[in-house]
Amino acid sequence: MTSPAAPARRVPEAVHRRRWAILGVLMLSLLIVVLDNSILNVAIKTISTPAPTGLGATQSELEWAINAYTLVFAGLLFSAGLLGDRLGRKKVLIGGLVAFGAGSALAAFSGSPAELIGFRAVMGLGAAFVMPATLAVLMNVFERDEQAKAIGIWAGGVGLAIAIGPITGGVLLDHFWWGSVFLINVPIVVLAVVLMLWLVPDSRDPNPGRIDPVGVVLSVAGLVLLVYGIIKGGQLADFTDVTVVSTIGAGLAVLAAFVVFEKRSDHPSIDVTYFKNKVFSASIVAIALVFFALMGVTFFAVFYTQSVRGYSPLETGLLLLPLAATQMIFAPRARLLVDRFGNKATTTAGLVVLAGTLAAFAILDEDTPIWILEVIFFLMGAGMAHVMTPVSVVIMQALPREKAGSASALSNTFRQVGGALGIAVLGSVLSAAYRNGIEGELGLLPPGARHAAGESIEATLAVADRLGARGELLIGAADDAFLHAMHVTALWGAGVAVLGAIVVAVFLPGRTPTSEGGDEKQELVSAED
């Protein structure tokens, strides 16, 4: 009896032989995009310190320094994915790396928070062309039976970057000025470009879509208005303010117009028909909510460890290590749980664990043993790893490989939008709760200084430092107000993660009986509305 013929190989043999080396280069490109945000997380306190140590950035300016990057990134991902499909993913990837490196060098020498925000936007422009191209190239150099494993390793690279970033940032801030956290990107970019030219093959979509400039403008404008309104509400501690309500309303209206335009366009940035697939939609929602929680938590966790607990940037980076290490360890292995229990059980459990760890921040105070925080970070990383890998595989395999750029762009757009909204929403909840808690203690200050001093714990501590002995009571009040604000914010984040768990429990498929081979994966991603 003759054995069945092996399936025809769609990847050229020369490319197939060096696929793992190519994956390494793609992970290096991914590394700098993720590394930048994770490095910045430990640097935000330093950047908020008055010159010459930092830039004296306010909490809202810090939120914009992060969100200028993520909003440009998210807004341009679809066009970047389409350009990669049209012009060639390798060319677009190299161009994005060069733009990212240039933006990093300029950001390092920013003279004001406004300059830093502008150069971070340039970095977001470059990153928008890097991220979708890495996954699109991956899908074109691996055969389908190895794609899940490759994506798992790729997702583990995110954990590696999150691990390296805070520690690298801490070392740099201990020895150099704050701009070094951006300058470190430049040599990595140079190495990545050289290896890219040498190893990575080019690929493109034989039938690429047209660029959608109207859709790009509407999506970016809508997101910027929405996030600006949310951040402004936190800054004022008043979400009923006319400016806040009108800006958020305008952002939602522009985003609604974007959706309507995309539905009617014959060359949309987002093909909304993809979302008729409930499995695909639930996966997109899950990945957005994971990054909503991650970015929001790391934003306030840094102030907890450095401002309240007194740890240095390097020590904070080491404290974040369990969060990163567990993602790096578990992300490549999450597919084993999917094979055994299915996407629904694995992803729902991951989001439930994430919700529990977020809620656990509500028990932390200034004297909590630090090992408890480490356990929380460990479990949080494990939960995230068992969400990111399964949903990334579902998203990437839901579309034909020729549309890999579009699938990657969708995944990363919602990842970045989730992260931006996490910082905006949870940062604003933190800011509003903190101001409400500290306002009663600022009565001794001149009326003009009270508003600025109440915006963040760093602003209050800066005032307390200038008051000398009279400011000691203010330090204790600032710590108490921040801890209360952190507890409120953590519970909001936990609620969002619970919502995500409900969505995936309802809409993701369970384990199917046909689990012997690749058929199960195919059934999981082909379930239609």
Side-chain angles (χ1 to χ4, degrees):
M1 185 176 183
T2 58
S3 59
R9 191 175 296 286
R10 293 166 56 171
V11 179
E13 182 60 32
V15 173
H16 180 74
R17 282 200 304 269
R18 62 177 192 270
R19 65 196 184 283
W20 297 110
I22 293 169
L23 178 60
V25 178
L26 296 176
M27 288 177 65
L28 183 62
S29 304
L30 174 72
L31 179 73
I32 60 166
V33 174
V34 181
L35 182 74
D36 177 72
N37 270 333
S38 59
I39 281 183
L40 185 59
N41 283 336
V42 298
I44 53 178
K45 180 180 181 295
T46 304
I47 294 171
S48 70
T49 306
T53 304
L55 290 175
T58 65
Q59 180 156 317
S60 58
E61 286 171 335
L62 289 173
E63 290 177 37
W64 275 113
I66 298 171
N67 282 338
Y69 175 91
T70 53
L71 289 174
V72 172
F73 190 170
L76 295 178
L77 271 170
F78 288 110
S79 292
L82 287 171
L83 278 174
D85 290 344
R86 177 183 290 273
L87 303 177
R89 283 99 184 211
K90 179 178 180 177
K91 297 183 185 71
V92 165
L93 186 48
I94 290 173
L97 285 169
V98 171
F100 185 89
S104 299
L106 292 168
F109 298 100
S110 299
S112 68
E115 286 185 15
L116 178 61
I117 290 167
F119 294 137
R120 288 277 297 162
V122 174
M123 294 170 67
L125 170 69
F129 287 88
V130 172
M131 184 69 89
T134 60
L135 262 182
V137 171
L138 181 154
M139 297 299 285
N140 278 276
V141 300
F142 283 91
E143 297 292 347
R144 187 177 181 86
D145 59 348
E146 287 187 322
Q147 285 173 0
K149 181 180 180 181
I151 291 174
I153 295 171
W154 181 90
V158 175
L160 176 64
I162 295 172
I164 294 173
I167 297 170
T168 305
V171 171
L172 291 170
L173 291 170
D174 273 0
H175 294 88
F176 304 101
W177 94 115
W178 65 267
S180 61
V181 301
F182 297 109
L183 205 58
I184 191 67
N185 292 333
V186 177
I188 302 176
V189 165
V190 172
L191 176 62
V193 168
V194 170
L195 292 174
M196 195 83 56
L197 290 168
W198 177 33
L199 286 171
V200 176
D202 208 354
S203 62
R204 67 185 71 198
D205 185 346
N207 298 299
R210 286 189 290 155
I211 304 302
D212 175 24
V214 175
V216 171
V217 171
L218 288 174
S219 63
V220 174
L223 286 169
V224 168
L225 286 168
L226 177 62
V227 170
Y228 176 82
I230 294 170
I231 291 175
K232 191 69 175 175
Q235 185 182 2
L236 298 174
D238 183 6
F239 284 89
T240 63
D241 181 83
V242 174
T243 304
V244 174
V245 173
S246 58
T247 308
I248 291 176
L252 292 173
V254 173
L255 290 173
F258 167 71
V259 173
V260 172
F261 180 83
E262 296 300 285
K263 288 178 72 174
R264 296 178 178 176
S265 175
D266 59 356
H267 57 287
S269 290
I270 300 178
D271 188 342
V272 293
T273 60
Y274 296 156
F275 293 93
K276 291 182 178 180
N277 183 330
K278 291 179 180 178
V279 174
F280 181 82
S281 297
S283 299
I284 287 286
V285 168
I287 210 161
L289 293 182
V290 163
F291 273 79
F292 181 101
L294 172 68
M295 298 299 288
V297 167
T298 50
F299 186 79
F300 69 66
V302 168
F303 286 103
Y304 170 69
T305 55
Q306 293 187 38
S307 300
V308 176
R309 302 298 296 262
Y311 289 103
S312 70
L314 176 56
E315 288 168 336
T316 297
L318 292 170
L319 289 174
L320 288 169
L321 195 56
L323 172 64
T326 48
Q327 287 187 64
M328 185 171 59
I329 293 166
F330 289 118
R333 294 168 174 79
R335 62 191 173 84
L336 302 176
L337 283 182
V338 173
D339 289 344
R340 182 164 185 176
F341 300 108
N343 273 298
K344 183 196 292 281
T346 303
T347 309
T348 302
L351 282 163
V352 168
V353 170
L354 180 60
T357 56
L358 285 167
F361 272 89
I363 68 171
L364 300 179
D365 59 34
E366 56 187 326
D367 299 317
T368 301
I370 204 64
W371 65 264
I372 294 178
L373 179 64
E374 297 300 271
V375 171
I376 292 171
F377 280 148
F378 179 91
L379 294 173
M380 182 178 289
M384 289 180 61
H386 289 92
V387 178
M388 287 173 58
T389 298
V391 298
S392 294
V393 172
V394 169
I395 292 165
M396 292 307 294
Q397 292 189 343
L399 301 181
R401 71 192 283 147
E402 292 78 14
K403 302 297 180 184
S406 298
S408 176
L410 272 168
S411 173
N412 285 292
T413 293
F414 280 85
R415 188 190 306 242
Q416 294 302 319
V417 169
L421 289 176
I423 292 167
V425 173
L426 297 184
S428 294
V429 170
L430 182 75
S431 182
Y434 179 77
R435 183 181 293 281
N436 289 333
I438 197 67
E439 258 179 341
E441 308 296 329
L442 301 177
L444 296 176
L445 299 178
R450 290 175 195 167
H451 184 83
E455 184 171 308
S456 68
I457 186 172
E458 280 306 304
T460 308
L461 293 178
V463 170
D465 187 55
R466 289 197 296 271
L467 292 175
R470 290 188 303 146
E472 289 183 10
L473 290 176
L474 198 54
I475 293 174
D479 287 348
D480 291 342
F482 178 83
L483 287 168
H484 170 70
M486 183 180 78
H487 296 162
V488 172
T489 307
L491 292 175
W492 273 67
V496 170
V498 168
L499 178 63
I502 293 170
V503 169
V504 298
V506 171
F507 293 111
L508 282 192
R511 183 169 179 262
T512 57
T514 55
S515 57
E516 286 296 320
D519 292 341
E520 179 182 358
K521 292 190 182 68
Q522 182 62 36
E523 288 183 27
L524 290 177
V525 299
S526 62
E528 293 295 328
D529 184 10

